[in-house]
Amino acid sequence: MRQERIEELKQIYKDMLLDNVIPFWMKYSPDWENGGYYHYLDRDGSVLSTDKSVWIQGRGTWIFSRLYNVLEKRSEWLDMAKLGYDFLIKHCFDTDERMFFKVTNDGRPLRKRRYWFSETFAAIGCAEYAKASGDSNALEKADRIFDLIVKLYKNPGLREPKVYPQTRQTKSHSETMILIATAQVMREVKNDDSYNEIIDECISELFNSFVKYDEKALLENVGPNGEILDTLPEGRCINPGHAIETSWFLLSEGLYRNNHDLIKKALDILEWSLERGWDNEFGGLLYFTDLHGKPPEQMEWDMKLWWPHNEALYALLLAHHITGNEKYELWYEKVHKWTFEHFVDKEYGEWFGYLHRDGTVSLPIKGNVWKGPFHIPRFLLYSLKLLERMEGTK
Amino acid sequence: MRQERIEELKQIYKDMLLDNVIPFWMKYSPDWENGGYYHYLDRDGSVLSTDKSVWIQGRGTWIFSRLYNVLEKRSEWLDMAKLGYDFLIKHCFDTDERMFFKVTNDGRPLRKRRYWFSETFAAIGCAEYAKASGDSNALEKADRIFDLIVKLYKNPGLREPKVYPQTRQTKSHSETMILIATAQVMREVKNDDSYNEIIDECISELFNSFVKYDEKALLENVGPNGEILDTLPEGRCINPGHAIETSWFLLSEGLYRNNHDLIKKALDILEWSLERGWDNEFGGLLYFTDLHGKPPEQMEWDMKLWWPHNEALYALLLAHHITGNEKYELWYEKVHKWTFEHFVDKEYGEWFGYLHRDGTVSLPIKGNVWKGPFHIPRFLLYSLKLLERMEGTK
C-alpha cells in the first residue's frame, strides 16, 4: 500500500472514530441515573427501548477501556468504562455466577439464555477495565468469568440443550471462535502466555471440525465429530462475516506466535469467505449463504449488515500487511468503498446497521440488542493502530 | 361486486387451488416412507430440510381433511390427511401430553417449545380429520388437545416463562387469536355451540387488552392489564397481517352470531390494519410496523410475506360480502392485483413466500418451518366457498 494511502486512511479512520462514532455513543448511550448504557437507539440517538442487553454492557465497557489503554488517557473514556463495569457487577449476574441476557434499565433481570456470550463480553470488559483502572477486583472478576466460560465450553452437558441430545447433537462455530477472541484479550491484558493452551485447543477444534478444505468452507454448525449435516439448512449454513472475523483472530494469532502455517490457513478462510459472501450483483457481503448454493433458511439472508463489513476491512488490511500481497489490497479497497458509501449516516452520524440487498437502508436505527459501541469502533481502532505500524514498512 | 367478476374470481381461485397449489403439495410433500409431510421445499419442490415441523403436520392434516369435507370426497385427499394424522399421533406427543415443535423425518423429537401452537394446529387437524374419516379416536384426541390448550391459556403460570415474571409480565395477541380460530373449527366440526363461551371470553380479552381505539391499533403485546408498553419495541409492535387475520375470525363470528356490533368492531380492526400496513411506496403489506411510526425491532420488518396478503384478501372479500360497501371491494382489488402479480411462481407453481420491500423475490423457497400447505389453500378454499355464496346475492 502506498504511503499516501496509509496516511489518508489513518486520517479517515481517526476522524470516523474520534469525531463521529465515539462521540455518538458518548452522547446518547450513558445512563447516568441507573448506570450502564442505553443502546437501543434510533437514527438520531433517541432511545427506542429502555431495556439493556448484557452483551452491550460488556462490549461497551471493553471498548471504552481499550480506547483509554491504547489510544489516549482521556478521563471521560474511563468514566464511560466504569459506568458499564459497575452496572455489570451490580446487576448482570445471577446467583449461579451465570449472567443474564437482558435486564431493565434499572438492572432487574428480564432474560437469561443458555448461551454464554454475555459472559465472554463481560470477561473482556472486566479485564480491559482492570488494566485501565488498576482495579484488581475487576481482574479477579474477569478470571472467574473466564474460568466459567472454559468450563461451559468443555462441558456442553452443563447447559440445558436446545435440541434433544438423544436425537441430534451439533456443535457451533461461534463458541470456538469467541473463546479464541476472549482468550486473546485475557492474554494481552495479563501478559500471560498460559492462555496459549486453550487457544491451541480451539484452533485444533476449528480445523478438525468446522473448516472443510474440500468444500472451501468454514461451516457454522456441524455434527459432534465435525460431520457435515447437509440434509439440513443449519448444517449447510455459512455466515461469511463470522468466518471472516475468525480469519483475523487467526491472523493475529499467527502473527503473535510467528506461525506461518496458521497464517496460511487463516488466509484460506478469508479468501473462501469473501468469494462466497460477496454479492457480485449489488456489492457488499451477504449475511448468510448456503454451502451448496441453495436458499439459506434465514429470511434476512441477503441483507447487508454493518459488522461483516467491519470484520472484512480489518481482516483484509491485516492480510495485506502480513503478506504484502496486492490482491488483499484490491479486495480491501473494494470493500472499503462499498462500506463507506452505504453504511455511514452523513446526516446524524454513526452508521446504519441494516441495509437491503441493493444497499438502501432498511432499518435506520443506530443500535439494538446486537448493534452497540463494538464492531465499528473496534475495527476503526484496530485498523488505526495497524496503519500506524504500516507506516514506513513498505 | 359484479356477477361477472364473481364468476371470474371463482375460476381464478378454483384453478389456483385445484390445479396449482394443492397438486404441488400432493406431489412434493408426502413422506410415504415415514409418514407425515416434508414441507421445507425449494422452489422446484425438492427437499431443503428433512426435519418436520409439527405445526405443518397439523395444518396439512387440517387442509386435506377440510378439502375432503367441504369441496369433494376425493380419496387422495383423505389419504393425504391420514398420512399427517397418523404421524401426529405416533410421533408428535411428549409423555406429558404436550407436543413437540420439530421432529426428524422418522419422528424422533428435536425441539419442544413453551408455546402451544403445535397443539392448536393438531387440534384442528384431528377434529377435521375425524369428520372426514369418521374416526372417533381422532375426535377424542382433538377434544383432549383442546382441553389442554384452554388449560394452558387460562393458566399462563403452567409454562416456563421466557421473561422473569417478577420483573415483567406481558400478554400476547397471538394466543387469544389462535384460540378463537381453534374453537371455531371445533364448534363447526362438532356442531356444538358450547364453544361460544370460550370464544366470548377471548373476544372480551381481545377488546379489553389488545385493541386500542384511541390509537386505532391492535397491539401484539401488552401488559397484564392491557397496559401499552410504549417504551419497548415489542410493546409498540403491530403485525398488520396478524391483526387482519383476527379481523376475519371476528367477522365470521359476527356473521355466525348475527352480532352487528362485533362485525362493526372487526371492520375497524381491518381498516386500521390495512392503513397501517399497506406500503404506499411499493405496494403490498409490511410485515411489522410500529405504533408510533418508529423503526420496528425486526430486521425483516419491511419484507412482503405471502400470508398477510392471503388473510387480507379473505378478510376484504368477507367484509365486502357482509356490508356491500364498495370501499372493501376497492381495497380487495388492490390487494388482489399486487398479490397475484408478485407472489405466484409462474414457472414452478405454488407461491413465493418472501419478497423484498420492492416486491422482488428474496427467498425462492416454497416451504419452511412456517410456510406449508395452509395459508394459501385456506384463503383460496374459503374465498371460493364465499364467492359461491355471493353468486346471485347482489
Side-chain angles (χ1 to χ4, degrees):
Chain A
M1 193 174 272
R2 287 179 304 109
Q3 280 301 320
E4 301 76 49
R5 182 60 177 153
I6 293 175
E7 287 305 315
E8 192 180 27
L9 285 169
K10 259 185 63 183
Q11 198 59 48
I12 292 170
Y13 279 52
K14 198 172 168 190
D15 291 348
M16 182 61 79
L17 180 67
L18 298 181
D19 298 335
N20 185 331
V21 172
I22 289 300
F24 187 93
W25 292 101
M26 296 280 294
K27 183 167 180 188
Y28 298 111
S29 78
D31 178 357
W32 296 113
E33 193 184 332
N34 301 293
Y37 316 116
Y38 288 115
H39 54 82
Y40 210 133
L41 305 180
D42 206 347
R43 186 179 177 189
D44 62 1
S46 59
V47 173
L48 284 168
S49 172
T50 50
D51 289 344
K52 289 172 180 165
S53 151
V54 176
W55 289 26
I56 306 277
Q57 308 306 312
R59 286 167 159 185
T61 303
W62 178 80
I63 193 70
F64 286 107
S65 302
R66 182 87 187 171
L67 285 165
Y68 186 88
N69 288 336
V70 305
L71 214 56
E72 223 178 287
K73 301 278 177 249
R74 292 197 194 175
S75 64
E76 70 260 35
W77 289 343
L78 192 58
D79 292 344
M80 278 292 283
K82 186 173 189 315
L83 192 69
Y85 172 75
D86 288 345
F87 191 85
L88 279 173
I89 297 301
K90 202 165 166 189
H91 300 297
C92 300
F93 287 87
D94 200 356
T95 48
D96 62 357
E97 296 208 328
R98 289 290 318 269
M99 299 187 77
F100 300 116
F101 174 70
K102 208 155 90 164
V103 299
T104 58
N105 59 345
D106 56 355
R108 286 168 298 132
L110 284 165
R111 279 189 77 188
K112 188 176 172 182
R113 299 185 74 175
R114 51 172 81 79
Y115 316 100
W116 34 265
F117 299 110
S118 289
E119 285 82 353
T120 62
F121 299 119
I124 61 170
C126 291
E128 200 81 45
Y129 177 72
K131 186 171 168 184
S133 64
D135 181 343
S136 63
N137 289 329
L139 195 59
E140 215 176 281
K141 194 74 192 174
D143 283 336
R144 287 177 69 104
I145 304 171
F146 189 80
D147 289 347
L148 177 65
I149 294 167
V150 173
K151 189 171 113 183
L152 291 166
Y153 176 75
K154 294 196 177 186
N155 302 279
L158 292 176
R159 283 175 295 154
E160 190 200 344
K162 184 171 179 175
V163 167
Y164 287 87
Q166 67 273 32
T167 304
R168 180 179 298 153
Q169 291 181 25
T170 57
K171 296 192 296 195
S172 151
H173 160 231
S174 54
E175 300 193 350
T176 304
M177 77 175 280
I178 200 75
L179 186 45
I180 295 173
T182 308
Q184 286 175 333
V185 171
M186 295 296 294
R187 179 179 62 195
E188 188 187 335
V189 165
K190 298 176 70 177
N191 196 16
D192 175 357
D193 274 346
S194 71
Y195 289 94
N196 292 357
E197 195 184 322
I198 184 74
I199 292 173
D200 285 340
E201 244 181 80
C202 290
I203 291 174
S204 296
E205 167 68 355
L206 198 66
F207 286 98
N208 290 333
S209 291
F210 297 98
V211 173
K212 306 295 173 190
Y213 266 83
D214 292 352
E215 303 276 359
K216 299 192 174 184
L218 195 173
L219 295 172
E220 283 300 305
N221 304 291
V222 295
N225 301 305
E227 302 91 333
I228 301 183
L229 307 168
D230 64 358
T231 62
L232 304 173
E234 59 268 38
R236 296 188 302 267
C237 178
I238 291 173
N239 181 328
H242 244 191
I244 290 167
E245 192 173 355
T246 288
S247 81
W248 76 252
F249 295 161
L250 298 181
L251 285 176
S252 306
E253 196 61 27
L255 210 53
Y256 183 77
R257 307 275 200 102
N258 198 24
N259 180 337
H260 296 279
D261 179 55
L262 183 57
I263 287 170
K264 167 75 183 60
K265 286 172 165 172
L267 293 170
D268 290 335
I269 296 172
L270 174 59
E271 286 182 44
W272 303 337
S273 308
L274 284 166
E275 292 292 345
R276 286 183 172 273
W278 187 257
D279 182 353
N280 287 315
E281 196 173 344
F282 293 101
L285 287 161
L286 298 166
Y287 192 20
F288 292 100
T289 65
D290 180 281
L291 178 63
H292 300 320
K294 299 182 183 203
E297 68 179 328
Q298 297 84 357
M299 67 177 111
E300 67 274 17
W301 74 278
D302 67 0
M303 288 180 73
K304 308 289 164 64
L305 270 66
W306 80 105
W307 66 264
H309 298 79
N310 301 155
E311 305 309 334
L313 285 172
Y314 182 63
L316 284 163
L317 196 62
L318 191 56
H320 177 59
H321 168 64
I322 293 172
T323 63
N325 192 324
E326 198 197 6
K327 72 177 166 185
Y328 301 117
E329 186 179 357
L330 294 174
W331 258 116
Y332 174 82
E333 293 292 358
K334 183 159 86 168
V335 179
H336 176 86
K337 187 169 186 291
W338 202 92
T339 302
F340 278 73
E341 273 178 13
H342 291 87
F343 285 102
V344 179
D345 182 355
K346 294 183 182 67
E347 198 170 339
Y348 288 91
E350 235 271 342
W351 291 31
F352 299 115
Y354 300 88
L355 311 180
H356 298 117
R357 179 167 186 180
D358 66 7
T360 55
V361 175
S362 170
L363 270 181
I365 56 164
K366 292 295 157 57
N368 58 14
V369 185
W370 320 109
K371 186 174 185 291
F374 188 62
H375 296 91
I376 300 170
R378 180 175 72 171
F379 112 86
L380 292 168
L381 176 61
Y382 278 44
S383 300
L384 188 59
K385 301 304 284 183
L386 179 57
L387 288 160
E388 284 176 4
R389 294 208 298 278
M390 287 166 75
E391 279 183 301
T393 58
K394 281 195 73 177
Chain B
M1 193 175 270
R2 288 178 305 107
Q3 280 301 319
E4 302 75 48
R5 183 57 177 156
I6 294 175
E7 287 305 315
E8 194 180 26
L9 286 170
K10 259 185 63 182
Q11 199 58 49
I12 292 170
Y13 279 52
K14 200 174 167 189
D15 292 349
M16 183 59 81
L17 180 66
L18 298 181
D19 298 336
N20 185 331
V21 171
I22 290 300
F24 186 94
W25 292 100
M26 297 280 294
K27 184 167 180 186
Y28 298 111
S29 78
D31 178 356
W32 297 112
E33 192 184 334
N34 300 294
Y37 315 116
Y38 288 117
H39 53 83
Y40 210 132
L41 305 180
D42 206 347
R43 186 179 175 187
D44 63 0
S46 58
V47 173
L48 283 169
S49 171
T50 51
D51 289 344
K52 289 172 179 163
S53 149
V54 175
W55 289 27
I56 306 276
Q57 309 304 312
R59 286 168 160 185
T61 303
W62 179 79
I63 193 71
F64 286 107
S65 302
R66 183 85 187 172
L67 286 165
Y68 185 87
N69 289 336
V70 305
L71 214 56
E72 224 179 288
K73 301 279 178 250
R74 293 197 194 176
S75 63
E76 71 259 35
W77 289 344
L78 192 57
D79 292 344
M80 279 291 283
K82 187 175 187 318
L83 192 69
Y85 172 75
D86 288 345
F87 191 85
L88 280 173
I89 298 300
K90 205 165 164 189
H91 300 297
C92 301
F93 287 88
D94 200 355
T95 48
D96 62 357
E97 296 207 328
R98 289 291 317 268
M99 300 188 75
F100 299 117
F101 173 72
K102 209 154 89 165
V103 298
T104 57
N105 59 345
D106 57 353
R108 286 168 298 132
L110 284 165
R111 277 189 79 188
K112 188 176 172 184
R113 299 184 75 175
R114 51 172 81 79
Y115 315 101
W116 34 266
F117 299 109
S118 290
E119 285 82 352
T120 62
F121 299 119
I124 62 169
C126 292
E128 201 81 45
Y129 177 72
K131 185 172 170 183
S133 64
D135 180 343
S136 63
N137 288 331
L139 195 58
E140 214 175 280
K141 195 73 192 176
D143 283 337
R144 287 177 70 105
I145 304 170
F146 189 81
D147 290 347
L148 177 64
I149 293 166
V150 172
K151 190 171 112 183
L152 291 166
Y153 176 76
K154 293 195 178 185
N155 302 279
L158 292 176
R159 285 174 295 154
E160 189 201 344
K162 184 170 179 176
V163 167
Y164 287 86
Q166 68 273 31
T167 304
R168 180 179 298 153
Q169 291 182 27
T170 58
K171 296 192 297 195
S172 151
H173 161 232
S174 54
E175 300 194 349
T176 304
M177 78 175 281
I178 199 75
L179 187 45
I180 295 173
T182 308
Q184 286 175 332
V185 171
M186 295 297 294
R187 179 178 63 195
E188 188 188 334
V189 166
K190 298 177 71 178
N191 195 17
D192 174 357
D193 273 347
S194 71
Y195 289 94
N196 292 356
E197 196 184 320
I198 184 73
I199 292 173
D200 286 340
E201 243 180 80
C202 289
I203 292 175
S204 295
E205 167 68 355
L206 198 65
F207 287 98
N208 290 333
S209 291
F210 297 98
V211 174
K212 305 295 174 192
Y213 266 84
D214 291 352
E215 302 276 359
K216 298 193 174 186
L218 195 172
L219 296 172
E220 283 300 305
N221 306 290
V222 295
N225 301 305
E227 300 91 334
I228 300 182
L229 307 168
D230 64 358
T231 61
L232 305 172
E234 58 268 39
R236 295 189 303 266
C237 178
I238 290 173
N239 180 328
H242 243 192
I244 290 168
E245 191 174 355
T246 287
S247 82
W248 75 253
F249 295 161
L250 298 181
L251 285 176
S252 306
E253 196 60 27
L255 210 54
Y256 183 78
R257 308 276 199 100
N258 197 24
N259 180 336
H260 296 278
D261 179 55
L262 183 57
I263 288 171
K264 167 74 184 60
K265 286 172 166 170
L267 293 170
D268 291 336
I269 296 171
L270 174 59
E271 287 183 45
W272 301 338
S273 308
L274 283 166
E275 292 292 345
R276 285 183 174 272
W278 188 258
D279 181 353
N280 288 315
E281 195 173 346
F282 292 101
L285 288 161
L286 298 165
Y287 193 21
F288 291 100
T289 65
D290 180 280
L291 178 63
H292 299 320
K294 298 182 184 202
E297 68 178 326
Q298 297 83 358
M299 68 177 110
E300 67 275 18
W301 75 279
D302 68 0
M303 288 181 72
K304 309 288 164 66
L305 270 66
W306 80 105
W307 67 264
H309 297 79
N310 300 156
E311 305 309 335
L313 285 172
Y314 183 64
L316 285 163
L317 195 63
L318 191 56
H320 178 59
H321 168 63
I322 292 173
T323 63
N325 192 324
E326 198 196 4
K327 73 177 165 185
Y328 300 117
E329 186 179 357
L330 294 174
W331 258 116
Y332 173 82
E333 293 292 357
K334 183 160 87 168
V335 180
H336 175 86
K337 188 168 186 293
W338 203 91
T339 302
F340 277 74
E341 273 178 12
H342 291 87
F343 285 101
V344 178
D345 182 355
K346 294 185 181 68
E347 198 170 340
Y348 288 90
E350 235 270 343
W351 291 31
F352 299 116
Y354 300 89
L355 311 181
H356 299 117
R357 179 167 186 179
D358 65 8
T360 54
V361 176
S362 170
L363 270 180
I365 55 164
K366 291 297 156 56
N368 58 14
V369 184
W370 320 108
K371 186 173 185 292
F374 188 63
H375 296 91
I376 301 170
R378 178 174 75 170
F379 113 86
L380 292 168
L381 176 62
Y382 278 44
S383 299
L384 188 59
K385 301 303 284 181
L386 179 57
L387 288 161
E388 284 175 2
R389 295 207 297 278
M390 286 166 77
E391 278 183 301
T393 58
K394 280 197 73 180

